Amino acid sequence: MGLKLKIIINPSSGRESARVNIEDMLAYLVSQKKLERADIYYTAGRFDAVNFAKNTDVTQYDYLIAVGGDGTVNEVLTGMQLGGIDIPLAIYTSGTVNDFASINQLPSIPSDFARMLMNPQFKRVDCGKAGDSYFLNVLAGGLMTEVAYTVPSDLKTAFGPAAYWMSAMKDIPTINKTIPLKIVADGEEYEENAIMFLISNSKSVGGFRKLMTKADLSDGLLDILVVKKMDISAIVPLLGKLVIGDHINNENVLYIQAKEIRLSTSTDELITLDVDGEEGPTLPTCVECIKDAINLIVPGEEES
């Protein structure tokens, strides 16, 4: 018997190559006589992927496949959590930035992805929850963190990752703008004037492969990184440390791990958070780690 797949795809993702990649992947499975059924659901707007995932009949499929960037994957995750859908999930990367897929070495070549489905390994991974929003990779606030959900889709498609940097440049003059942030992490209190802050379940965030150096996808903890107010002259040296993962003991950085994090601020300004590249809740909010939330499909050893 072949595989029975439910595929949720953002057709505009990855310079609109997602559709072609999926067709090639399915063709490979057919050539190997490993496909029985593939139902494809194309998203046309926000929350489509949430609804498609939430309404999955787990008795009809072996695997659920999310195809797109971090935003599409986030919606599939959200739908699975809201619907109590516990079916193995495969993630096919085709977006502009794919931190979670990169850190898990998930294949992006159609034939490689098909072989992963044919010879899978299953890995239970955690996710985060902030209010009613779920995230597989990162929740962020402060400087430049709204770039991911304010960059127009056509700009992302045309320029790829460069679109984020092009849009982020406008925020550099506001480097001295801070958020008076209060953090209560598993009962421990911290107060900082934050330029930006990140809460992640993955080592890789925003293309920085070693940003959350202690992160483990299955440890039941979230990693919190706060960049404190600093002189402009200290920014470039810190960026260098961020690239190589030598930053967590820097005086301008607060790095902690916790299962539950309460975030609040004393400012009257509305602080909107970014959740996996999409607009999320506002402060104050409570963030928690959902242990073993997803049964992720990762590459296994192929049959000889």
Side-chain angles (χ1 to χ4, degrees):
M1 297 292 288
L3 292 170
K4 293 177 286 186
L5 309 174
K6 179 172 182 176
I7 302 170
I8 300 173
I9 177 172
N10 176 358
S12 65
S13 185
R15 296 180 175 86
E16 304 182 2
S17 64
R19 190 195 309 257
V20 174
N21 287 339
I22 286 300
E23 290 174 354
D24 290 347
M25 183 272 290
L26 293 175
Y28 186 91
L29 288 176
V30 170
S31 73
Q32 301 298 309
K33 296 181 173 57
K34 295 294 186 179
L35 182 68
E36 178 180 337
R37 171 182 177 183
D39 296 338
I40 304 177
Y41 293 75
Y42 292 101
T43 64
R46 193 174 183 190
F47 304 126
D48 281 355
V50 174
N51 292 323
F52 292 152
K54 182 179 178 181
N55 295 307
T56 298
D57 183 348
V58 298
T59 66
Q60 298 296 311
Y61 302 101
D62 297 311
Y63 307 144
L64 182 61
I65 303 177
V67 185
D70 289 338
T72 302
V73 174
N74 174 270
E75 286 203 12
V76 172
L77 163 71
T78 299
M80 294 178 72
Q81 293 301 300
L82 292 176
I85 306 300
D86 192 10
I87 184 174
L89 172 69
I91 297 173
Y92 199 126
T93 64
S94 63
T96 308
V97 178
N98 299 282
D99 289 305
F100 186 83
S102 297
I103 206 69
N104 285 284
Q105 299 181 322
L106 302 181
S108 58
I109 297 173
S111 57
D112 290 345
F113 191 88
R115 285 195 293 271
M116 180 184 75
L117 298 181
M118 292 162 51
N119 302 283
Q121 180 176 328
F122 301 100
K123 177 181 180 181
R124 279 282 175 183
V125 299
D126 308 335
C127 79
K129 182 183 181 184
D132 295 326
S133 300
Y134 294 86
F135 61 96
L136 200 54
N137 197 51
V138 65
L139 174 146
L143 182 70
M144 296 193 293
T145 55
E146 83 284 0
V147 167
Y149 62 80
T150 57
V151 175
S153 295
D154 55 352
L155 191 62
K156 294 180 187 178
T157 299
F159 294 100
Y164 290 91
W165 294 109
M166 290 161 58
S167 295
M169 288 297 98
K170 66 179 176 56
D171 278 352
I172 295 301
T174 64
I175 192 69
N176 288 320
K177 182 180 179 182
T178 61
I179 299 171
L181 186 67
K182 181 178 180 180
I183 303 172
V184 181
D186 288 346
E188 294 289 327
E189 296 187 8
Y190 306 84
E191 292 191 26
E192 299 289 350
N193 283 319
I195 295 175
M196 67 181 297
F197 55 94
L198 308 167
I199 299 178
S200 181
N201 188 42
S202 169
K203 290 183 184 294
S204 180
V205 178
F208 288 87
R209 297 296 179 88
K210 301 178 181 179
L211 195 67
M212 299 300 200
T213 58
K214 296 182 179 181
D216 184 321
L217 295 171
S218 306
D219 63 357
L221 298 172
L222 295 171
D223 290 49
I224 307 104
L225 185 146
V226 179
V227 179
K228 306 175 186 178
K229 182 178 181 179
M230 70 183 81
D231 293 330
I232 292 179
S233 61
I235 294 174
V236 173
L238 178 58
L239 283 174
K241 289 182 177 294
L242 290 171
V243 170
I244 63 174
D246 184 32
H247 57 280
I248 62 173
N249 295 317
N250 187 280
E251 63 180 2
N252 295 311
V253 169
L254 171 67
Y255 189 102
I256 50 181
Q257 294 178 297
K259 181 178 180 180
E260 182 181 273
I261 306 108
R262 295 186 180 275
L263 302 174
S264 60
T265 181
S266 58
T267 182
D268 292 331
E269 182 181 355
L270 187 67
I271 306 298
T272 302
L273 305 176
D274 169 287
V275 177
D276 280 347
E278 301 294 333
E279 186 174 357
T282 59
L283 293 182
T285 191
C286 180
V287 186
E288 61 180 312
C289 182
I290 308 298
K291 176 71 173 163
D292 295 337
I294 293 293
N295 192 13
L296 183 69
I297 301 173
V298 297
E301 294 185 6
E302 294 195 26
E303 298 176 354
S304 58

